[in-house]
Amino acid sequence: EMAKALRCSELREMSTEDLQEKLATMKAQLLKLRVQKYVSAQPSKISEMCVVRKDVARLLTVLSQRVRAEARVEYNGKKYAPRDLRPQLTHAMRLRLRPSQKAIKSLRVQKAEKAFPLRRYAIKE
Protein backbone atom coordinates (compact mmCIF):
# COMPACT_ATOMS: atom_id res chain seq x y z
CA GLU A 1 0.00 0.00 0.00
CA MET A 2 1.11 3.58 -0.67
CA ALA A 3 2.30 5.66 2.31
CA LYS A 4 0.18 8.75 2.97
CA ALA A 5 2.12 12.01 3.26
CA LEU A 6 2.16 13.75 6.64
CA ARG A 7 0.67 17.22 7.03
CA CYS A 8 2.66 20.00 8.69
CA SER A 9 -0.45 21.21 10.54
CA GLU A 10 -0.76 17.77 12.18
CA LEU A 11 2.96 17.69 12.98
CA ARG A 12 2.83 21.09 14.69
CA GLU A 13 0.20 19.77 17.12
CA MET A 14 2.48 16.89 18.20
CA SER A 15 4.98 17.15 21.07
CA THR A 16 8.71 17.38 20.37
CA GLU A 17 9.33 13.90 21.81
CA ASP A 18 6.64 12.42 19.54
CA LEU A 19 8.17 14.18 16.55
CA GLN A 20 11.61 12.79 17.32
CA GLU A 21 10.20 9.27 17.71
CA LYS A 22 8.32 9.65 14.42
CA LEU A 23 11.53 10.89 12.76
CA ALA A 24 13.44 7.83 13.96
CA THR A 25 10.75 5.46 12.64
CA MET A 26 10.60 7.30 9.30
CA LYS A 27 14.38 7.09 8.89
CA ALA A 28 14.27 3.35 9.68
CA GLN A 29 11.45 2.94 7.15
CA LEU A 30 13.49 4.81 4.55
CA LEU A 31 16.44 2.51 5.19
CA LYS A 32 14.23 -0.58 4.68
CA LEU A 33 12.85 0.88 1.45
CA ARG A 34 16.38 1.54 0.16
CA VAL A 35 17.30 -2.08 0.82
CA GLN A 36 14.08 -3.33 -0.85
CA LYS A 37 14.77 -1.14 -3.87
CA TYR A 38 17.92 -3.14 -4.65
CA VAL A 39 16.32 -6.49 -3.78
CA SER A 40 13.03 -6.25 -5.69
CA ALA A 41 13.15 -2.99 -7.76
CA GLN A 42 9.38 -2.44 -7.63
CA PRO A 43 8.21 0.96 -8.92
CA SER A 44 5.86 1.32 -5.92
CA LYS A 45 8.81 1.16 -3.51
CA ILE A 46 10.59 3.96 -5.35
CA SER A 47 7.52 6.20 -5.24
CA GLU A 48 7.03 5.35 -1.56
CA MET A 49 10.66 6.35 -0.91
CA CYS A 50 9.90 9.77 -2.32
CA VAL A 51 6.94 10.20 0.07
CA VAL A 52 8.98 9.04 3.09
CA ARG A 53 11.89 11.34 2.18
CA LYS A 54 9.53 14.33 1.97
CA ASP A 55 7.96 13.33 5.32
CA VAL A 56 11.41 13.25 6.94
CA ALA A 57 12.04 16.72 5.53
CA ARG A 58 8.70 17.96 6.92
CA LEU A 59 9.52 16.54 10.36
CA LEU A 60 12.95 18.18 10.37
CA THR A 61 11.43 21.47 9.24
CA VAL A 62 8.86 21.51 12.05
CA LEU A 63 11.54 20.57 14.62
CA SER A 64 13.92 23.30 13.45
CA GLN A 65 11.08 25.87 13.42
CA ARG A 66 10.39 25.00 17.06
CA VAL A 67 14.04 25.38 18.03
CA ARG A 68 14.21 28.75 16.27
CA ALA A 69 10.98 29.95 17.90
CA GLU A 70 12.32 29.02 21.35
CA ALA A 71 15.60 30.81 20.59
CA ARG A 72 13.69 33.91 19.44
CA VAL A 73 11.82 34.01 22.76
CA GLU A 74 15.06 33.46 24.69
CA TYR A 75 17.01 36.20 22.91
CA ASN A 76 14.13 38.71 22.65
CA GLY A 77 15.23 42.09 24.03
CA LYS A 78 18.86 41.02 24.54
CA LYS A 79 21.75 43.00 23.08
CA TYR A 80 23.09 40.16 20.94
CA ALA A 81 21.27 37.40 19.08
CA PRO A 82 22.57 34.42 17.10
CA ARG A 83 23.37 35.27 13.48
CA ASP A 84 20.56 33.18 12.04
CA LEU A 85 18.00 35.14 14.11
CA ARG A 86 19.22 38.56 12.99
CA PRO A 87 17.45 40.36 10.13
CA GLN A 88 18.51 39.08 6.70
CA LEU A 89 19.45 42.37 5.03
CA THR A 90 21.96 42.97 2.28
CA HIS A 91 25.61 43.33 3.30
CA ALA A 92 25.55 47.07 2.53
CA MET A 93 22.41 47.57 4.63
CA ARG A 94 23.93 45.72 7.58
CA LEU A 95 27.08 47.89 7.44
CA ARG A 96 25.19 51.20 7.20
CA LEU A 97 25.48 53.66 10.08
CA ARG A 98 22.61 53.67 12.55
CA PRO A 99 20.63 56.95 12.90
CA SER A 100 22.30 57.66 16.27
CA GLN A 101 25.73 57.20 14.67
CA LYS A 102 24.83 59.48 11.75
CA ALA A 103 23.72 62.25 14.13
CA ILE A 104 27.08 62.39 15.97
CA LYS A 105 29.02 65.58 15.20
CA SER A 106 32.71 66.19 15.83
CA LEU A 107 33.82 68.90 18.26
CA ARG A 108 35.09 71.01 15.35
CA VAL A 109 31.71 70.93 13.59
CA GLN A 110 29.92 71.74 16.86
CA LYS A 111 32.16 74.79 17.40
CA ALA A 112 31.69 75.95 13.81
CA GLU A 113 27.92 75.70 14.08
CA LYS A 114 27.97 77.63 17.35
CA ALA A 115 30.29 80.34 16.00
CA PHE A 116 28.46 80.72 12.67
CA PRO A 117 24.77 79.97 13.20
CA LEU A 118 22.42 79.94 10.21
CA ARG A 119 21.26 83.47 9.52
CA ARG A 120 17.53 84.06 9.43
CA TYR A 121 16.20 86.92 7.38
CA ALA A 122 12.90 88.70 7.92
CA ILE A 123 10.99 88.74 4.64
CA LYS A 124 9.05 91.92 3.85
CA GLU A 125 5.61 91.56 2.31
Side-chain angles (χ1 to χ4, degrees), residues 4 12-13 26 29 31-33 42 44 46 49 55 59 65 70 77 90 95 104 114-115 119 125:
K4 190 172 174 280
R12 287 194 181 96
E13 293 166 6
M26 294 299 263
Q29 185 182 353
L31 187 67
K32 281 182 191 170
L33 286 169
Q42 292 176 343
S44 63
I46 296 168
M49 272 178 66
D55 285 345
L59 281 162
Q65 283 174 346
E70 289 166 7
T90 63
L95 293 182
I104 294 171
K114 193 174 178 186
R119 292 185 177 185
E125 291 182 22

Side-chain angles (χ1 to χ4, degrees), residues 26-38:
M26 294 299 263
K27 283 188 173 180
Q29 185 182 353
L30 187 59
L31 187 67
K32 281 182 191 170
L33 286 169
R34 282 195 182 128
V35 170
Q36 287 175 356
K37 183 178 103 171
Y38 289 108

Side-chain angles (χ1 to χ4, degrees), residues 3-8 11 19-34 48-64:
K4 190 172 174 280
L6 297 171
R7 300 188 74 93
C8 281
L11 294 176
L19 285 173
Q20 285 169 341
E21 286 172 21
K22 187 103 173 150
L23 182 64
T25 58
M26 294 299 263
K27 283 188 173 180
Q29 185 182 353
L30 187 59
L31 187 67
K32 281 182 191 170
L33 286 169
R34 282 195 182 128
E48 196 175 338
M49 272 178 66
C50 184
V51 173
V52 174
R53 258 198 350 260
K54 301 275 175 151
D55 285 345
V56 168
R58 282 189 197 96
L59 281 162
L60 289 170
T61 300
V62 170
L63 282 168
S64 67

Side-chain angles (χ1 to χ4, degrees), residues 64-81:
S64 67
Q65 283 174 346
R66 274 200 194 160
V67 169
R68 286 170 66 86
E70 289 166 7
R72 273 207 176 85
V73 169
E74 185 184 334
Y75 286 98
N76 190 23
K78 293 209 167 84
K79 186 173 180 182
Y80 297 110

